[in-house]
């Protein structure tokens, strides 16, 4: 059992003892903020195809799962690479991945359950780009090779940052969800340090109830104890890169697996996937599709930074 999984179990016990919370409480309705969050909280206009085990293989022999617009049309579509949390597979995040595909993204995730190094997240991009060049593929000539993002959960959040760092500029943005504090990274190949990023943009999202694995803040300065919080990961991203961070009020470590509520998610989950839909989709639309309204939401004074019952800790340095 790896340290990410042990930490989730420790977090679950702590919640039960301290708050008396149940594993799958009925969620309160999530009401997105008017404007950009509300727009991208709703499913996009595209019907979606889901293809599990679509192709093979990453470096471990794991297959790739895909979600993509059923009608690819004549345009080229931006790409989103997915990174699983520890011991998870992409279909456990199907609601979120289907949501992204409905907005025009071609989403690919390896079934590899240990994605922290980022190697097989990048391998999924290699596979998809080969499909773009294959006349026999449904994706032939349909992919925007210059518009690639990566989204990941927990260990996979570490993985997408590593993939961004090592992609040579091929990956333009990363959205780490519930990134694990460095203390849970026992394998040096799976650790990440946002100080090492040289290109791209980053949008960090964590849940307020995920204080064990992905805390918002830490007691000691990160320069002394390492990157043990979302604030630390955010601050360590070089100042010349576009970056943002926000905390969803309520969710725990595995709410992102909601379908959309917690019934099918791993514990601990408190609310479901709702809050992970709007602004993360808007970020990808801004960074990969040039959506002006979405980009404005993350500029100083934009919608993302306004007082909200759903969000706290909203900070960002977004230009362009």
């Amino acid at each position: 059992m790896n340290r990410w999984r042990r930490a989730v179990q420790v977090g679950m016990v702590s919640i039960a003892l301290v708050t008396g919370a149940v594993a799958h409480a009925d969620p309160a309705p999530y009401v997105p903020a008017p404007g950009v969050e509300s727009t991208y909280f709703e499913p996009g206009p595209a019907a979606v195809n889901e293809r599990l085990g679509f192709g093979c293989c990453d470096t471990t022999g794991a297959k790739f799962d895909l979600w993509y617009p059923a009608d690819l049309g004549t345009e080229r579509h931006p790409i989103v690479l997915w990174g699983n949390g520890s011991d998870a597979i992409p279909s456990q995040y199907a609601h979120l991945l289907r949501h992204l595909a409905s907005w025009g993204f071609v989403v690919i995730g390896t079934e590899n359950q240990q994605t922290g190094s980022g190697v097989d997240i990048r391998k999924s991009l290699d596979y998809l780009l080969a499909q773009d060049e294959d006349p026999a593929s449904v994706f032939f000539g349909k992919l925007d090779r210059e518009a690639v993002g990566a989204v990941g959960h927990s260990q996979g959040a570490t993985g997408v940052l590593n993939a961004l760092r090592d992609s040579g500029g091929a990956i333009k943005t990363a959205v780490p969800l519930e990134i694990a504090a460095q203390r849970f990274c026992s394998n040096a190949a799976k650790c990440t340090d946002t100080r090492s990023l040289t290109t791209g943009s980053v949008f960090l999202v964590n849940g307020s109830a995920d204080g064990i694995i992905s805390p918002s803040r830490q007691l000691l300065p990160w320069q002394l104890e390492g990157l043990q919080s979302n604030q630390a990961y955010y601050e360590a991203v070089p100042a010349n890169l576009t970056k943002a961070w926000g905390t969803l009020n309520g969710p725990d470590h595995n709410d992102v697996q909601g379908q959309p509520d917690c019934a099918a998610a791993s514990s601990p989950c408190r609310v479901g996937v709702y809050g992970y839909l709007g602004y993360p989709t808007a970020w990808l639309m801004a960074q990969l599709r040039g959506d002006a309204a979405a980009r404005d939401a993350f500029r100083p004074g934009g919608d993302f930074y306004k007082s909200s019952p759903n969000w706290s800790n909203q900070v960002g340095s977004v230009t362009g």
Side-chain angles (χ1 to χ4, degrees):
M1 183 184 295
N2 61 52
R3 294 186 69 184
W4 273 288
R5 175 54 59 89
R6 286 204 302 270
V8 170
Q9 290 181 333
V10 169
M12 182 170 59
V13 171
S14 174
I15 291 164
L17 292 177
V18 175
T19 70
V22 296
H24 301 305
D26 291 334
Y30 185 94
V31 181
V36 163
E37 187 186 24
S38 180
T39 295
Y40 291 113
F41 175 82
E42 298 297 331
V48 173
N49 281 346
E50 177 184 86
R51 298 285 300 277
L52 305 183
F54 179 90
C56 194
C57 298
D58 72 7
T59 64
T60 70
K63 294 181 179 181
F64 299 113
D65 299 341
L66 281 94
W67 287 260
Y68 58 94
D71 181 4
L72 291 167
T74 59
E75 65 178 301
R76 286 186 174 266
H77 295 265
I79 297 167
V80 172
L81 315 175
W82 173 254
N84 303 310
S86 298
D87 303 327
I89 56 177
S91 58
Q92 291 177 259
Y93 306 90
H95 189 92
L96 172 61
L97 304 186
R98 187 181 305 114
H99 181 85
L100 295 176
S102 77
W103 283 102
F105 299 100
V106 173
V107 182
I108 185 169
T110 173
E111 293 179 359
N112 185 342
Q113 298 177 35
Q114 305 295 324
T115 61
S117 71
V119 169
D120 290 307
I121 294 172
R122 288 189 291 116
K123 191 68 174 177
S124 70
L125 176 59
D126 293 341
Y127 173 83
L128 204 50
L129 294 182
Q131 294 291 302
D132 184 57
E133 298 175 346
D134 182 358
S137 172
V138 67
F139 298 111
F140 177 60
K142 301 297 186 183
L143 303 177
D144 188 344
R145 306 166 72 92
E146 302 302 316
V148 181
V151 184
H153 169 233
S154 192
Q155 184 184 155
T158 295
V160 297
L161 288 172
N162 286 335
L164 174 65
R165 179 196 65 202
D166 298 335
S167 72
I171 300 174
K172 307 303 183 185
T173 192
V175 183
L177 308 174
E178 312 302 334
I179 189 170
Q182 281 185 329
R183 66 173 61 94
F184 296 117
C185 180
S186 59
N187 183 336
K190 296 179 181 177
C191 295
T192 196
D193 188 334
T194 47
R195 288 173 291 185
S196 67
L197 297 175
T198 58
T199 63
S201 60
V202 177
F203 178 31
L204 292 143
V205 179
N206 70 307
S208 64
D210 190 7
I212 302 282
I213 307 296
S214 188
S216 293
R217 305 180 186 277
Q218 57 197 74
L219 294 177
L220 296 177
W222 59 265
Q223 293 86 348
L224 298 178
E225 68 166 348
L227 306 179
Q228 311 300 348
S229 65
N230 280 263
Q231 180 185 25
Y233 281 112
Y234 169 81
E235 291 181 354
V237 174
N240 63 305
L241 300 185
T242 288
K243 59 182 179 177
W245 163 47
T247 298
L248 279 163
N249 297 328
D252 210 317
H253 192 68
N254 289 317
D255 285 65
V256 68
Q257 292 184 355
Q259 300 295 325
D261 63 15
C262 288
S266 302
S267 292
C269 177
R270 294 191 176 205
V271 180
V273 74
Y274 309 102
Y276 300 88
L277 302 177
Y279 278 128
T281 304
W283 179 270
L284 294 171
M285 293 292 291
Q287 300 298 315
L288 302 180
R289 304 201 81 175
D291 184 298
R295 188 177 292 274
D296 286 346
F298 293 96
R299 287 195 174 111
D303 286 353
F304 177 66
Y305 307 103
K306 295 178 181 177
S307 179
S308 167
N310 299 321
W311 290 85
S312 54
N313 298 323
Q314 304 103 302
V315 292
S317 177
V318 178
T319 60

